[in-house]
DNA sequence: ACAAAAAAAGGACAAATGTCCTAAACGATT
DNA sequence: AATCGTTTAGGACATTTGTCCTTTTTTTGT
């Protein structure tokens, strides 16, 4: 659930190193927003260091966290591919260092570079696997079951998530999360 | 929620027409299984005619329907891209006519054809949009809200879904579906 | 048309979850 | 250390959902 992609990071590192002055390295501080749901974006980001969360803000005011993203994850590529406004918000959970690639550069690469296409296809495929498995699991199993998995992964990855974010990831209220934590 | 992809169908139609004897046209009868969760697959399918459903069968015996697929939708491509066993089951809801493309042919195209890469990237992107929006919506809104949307789409597309499938799509029990239908 | 069998709907109760509000814990400031 | 303010946890009740089983409806065969 903390997604990474070393292959992609290597690819972008190389791109940055090469003759591509349009690709820049940027910093975002903790809690800042990289992408804002519903707004247009004119670049994609690739995380070099740090952790971000992608989340929907629904009309009823509730959040739903889709993924926690880390090294080598790309942000905003779906919007670029489909030519749409930002699907969800992306916020920095820690301070972030990211590569920023302007839309024209990214689109040109997409149109010409089979390596990038391959990496992206694999990444999108993996996200579909994750997202759909999780949707199924969350609908069909109890909260405690899902919470168990979340705590496991969290421990394994040594990352700490606020309770609010845990609840948003599980799609439940804070109250329910507290109850589930009691019930271990 | 009944997904189609005319661009892809056109692409595969052309492929079938051209010098590609390995690409075959096959028929599946209603209720037959095209892909079986957990098993290996050695080809991808593209629907020429008919409707299929993709669904998880969870360990607790419950089904969760991911998508209803129709004309131009590709099946089994994620497994091919990620080299994994079938993620979910795919069953024919109506009798089906599909193109079958052997794994080596598909992989070769993937490695060489930027057009195919583009079509696939767009399709996967759209599935991510769908799947994640739906996951968020189903977690954060009431069943009745979700049911409303389902009935709307069902009407718009003139397709009829069994109550069992509706429940599996919404991730709820039949009993809950009946109640929600009463409550309109 | 009727009886038997099968499928679908619904009642009753239990379990899970959300809402709203109060109580406890924590932090900063003096 | 005491106080105020803010954040976090939890109690009480209502609502939603699931489970299990009975009732109703539909289908099938004769």
């Amino acid at each position: 659930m903390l997604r990474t992609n070393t292959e992609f990071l290597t690819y972008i590192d190389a791109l940055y190193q090469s003759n591509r002055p349009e690709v820049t390295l940027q910093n975002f501080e903790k809690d800042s927003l990289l992408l804002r749901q519903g707004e247009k974006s004119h670049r994609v980001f690739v995380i070099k260091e740090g952790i971000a969360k992608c989340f929907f803000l629904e009309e009823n005011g509730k959040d739903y966290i889709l993924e926690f993203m880390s090294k080598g994850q790309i942000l905003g590529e779906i919007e670029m591919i489909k030519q749409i406004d930002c699907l969800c918000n992306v916020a920095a959970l820690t301070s972030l260092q990211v590569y920023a690639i302007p839309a024209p550069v990214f689109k040109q690469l997409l149109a010409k570079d089979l390596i990038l296409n391959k990496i992206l296809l694999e990444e999108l495929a993996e996200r579909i696997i994750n997202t759909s498995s999780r949707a199924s699991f969350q609908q069909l199993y109890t909260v405690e079951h899902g919470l168990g998995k979340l705590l496991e992964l969290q421990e394994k990855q040594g990352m700490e998530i606020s309770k609010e974010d845990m609840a948003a990831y599980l799609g439940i209220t804070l109250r329910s999360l507290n109850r589930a934590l009691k019930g271990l």
Side-chain angles (χ1 to χ4, degrees), chain A residues 157-169:
Chain A
Q157 260 137 10
M159 83 187 261
E160 48 172 308
I161 313 174
S162 73
K163 284 197 172 181
E164 226 180 355
D165 281 348
M166 280 202 217
Y169 185 79

Side-chain angles (χ1 to χ4, degrees), chain A residues 44 71 163 171:
Chain A
V44 301
K71 285 183 191 177
K163 284 197 172 181

Side-chain angles (χ1 to χ4, degrees), chain A residues 16-17 48 55 102 137 153 174:
Chain A
Y16 180 67
Q17 238 62 250
K48 185 173 167 64
F55 64 104
F137 188 85
L153 292 167
L174 243 186

